[in-house]
Amino acid sequence: MPNWGGGAKCGACEKTVYHAEEIQCNGRSFHKTCFLCMACRKALDSTTVAAHESEIYCKTCYGRKYGPKGIGFGQGAGCLSTDTGDHLGLNLQQGSPKSAHPSTQSNPSKFAKKMVDVDKCPRCGKSVYAAEKIMGGGKPWHKTCFRCAICGKSLESTNVTDKDGELYCKVCYAKNFGPKGIGFGGLTQVEKKECE
């Protein structure tokens, strides 16, 4: 029998989907308002949808239902999940009691060690994380602390020098630690008189 009323049937509500309101996924048509995760009912789009046969889910619920099982799975790497999966009809605490209640480890993971051994900035003494790290003089620095110790000028790889664990711009380094005498970048005769 021909479909006289318009487009295809919605994969969620079984009503007609007209072209202006149609979203296609996995060979099926949906209304924009019906394009929701089957588990948590979150609105989906092309970047968040994960299809399994005739079902559509957000990537989080898809991972919980069809991904690897156990503590830490289903929400991204390194996450510890306390979600039991009840809204998906899952019980993640099935199986051995070890997976339901993780014990303290005598040999901590690389991730745990990295969290404890965060580099410290030599200038301010605070933790330096990868997003803000600049290496200078073999040590990690915050971008805001990567300045000349004397004049405070912001430094770059082209104008930085280090001495005794401190950073200097090339000009200040030459004036304070370079060779002394006329023509060597030290204080001129006029500057010496002003200092006295």
Side-chain angles (χ1 to χ4, degrees), residues 52-124:
H52 182 79
E53 295 174 0
S54 63
E55 302 170 334
I56 57 172
Y57 298 96
C58 67
K59 290 186 178 182
T60 302
C61 291
Y62 179 87
R64 288 179 184 151
K65 187 163 184 172
Y66 298 108
K69 304 296 184 266
I71 301 296
F73 289 107
Q75 289 190 347
C79 291
L80 179 62
S81 175
T82 57
D83 182 10
T84 61
D86 290 337
H87 69 285
L88 298 171
L90 300 174
N91 185 2
L92 293 180
Q93 295 181 354
Q94 291 174 345
S96 69
K98 287 184 181 178
S99 65
H101 303 286
S103 62
T104 57
Q105 299 176 345
S106 60
N107 185 13
S109 67
K110 289 180 184 178
F111 180 73
K113 287 180 186 176
K114 191 166 192 111
M115 290 305 291
V116 174
D117 297 337
V118 175
D119 295 324
K120 301 288 183 187
C121 176
R123 177 84 29 93
C124 69

Side-chain angles (χ1 to χ4, degrees), residues 182-195:
I182 296 183
F184 282 108
L187 298 176
T188 62
Q189 296 298 331
V190 175
E191 290 172 328
K192 283 183 184 177
K193 288 181 183 178
E194 289 175 1
C195 292

Side-chain angles (χ1 to χ4, degrees), residues 5 15 25 32 79 108 117-118 120-121 124 129 132 159 162-163 195:
K15 294 182 181 174
C25 176
K32 289 179 183 176
C79 291
D117 297 337
V118 175
K120 301 288 183 187
C121 176
C124 69
Y129 299 100
E132 57 189 356
N159 66 350
D162 68 298
K163 178 172 173 53
C195 292

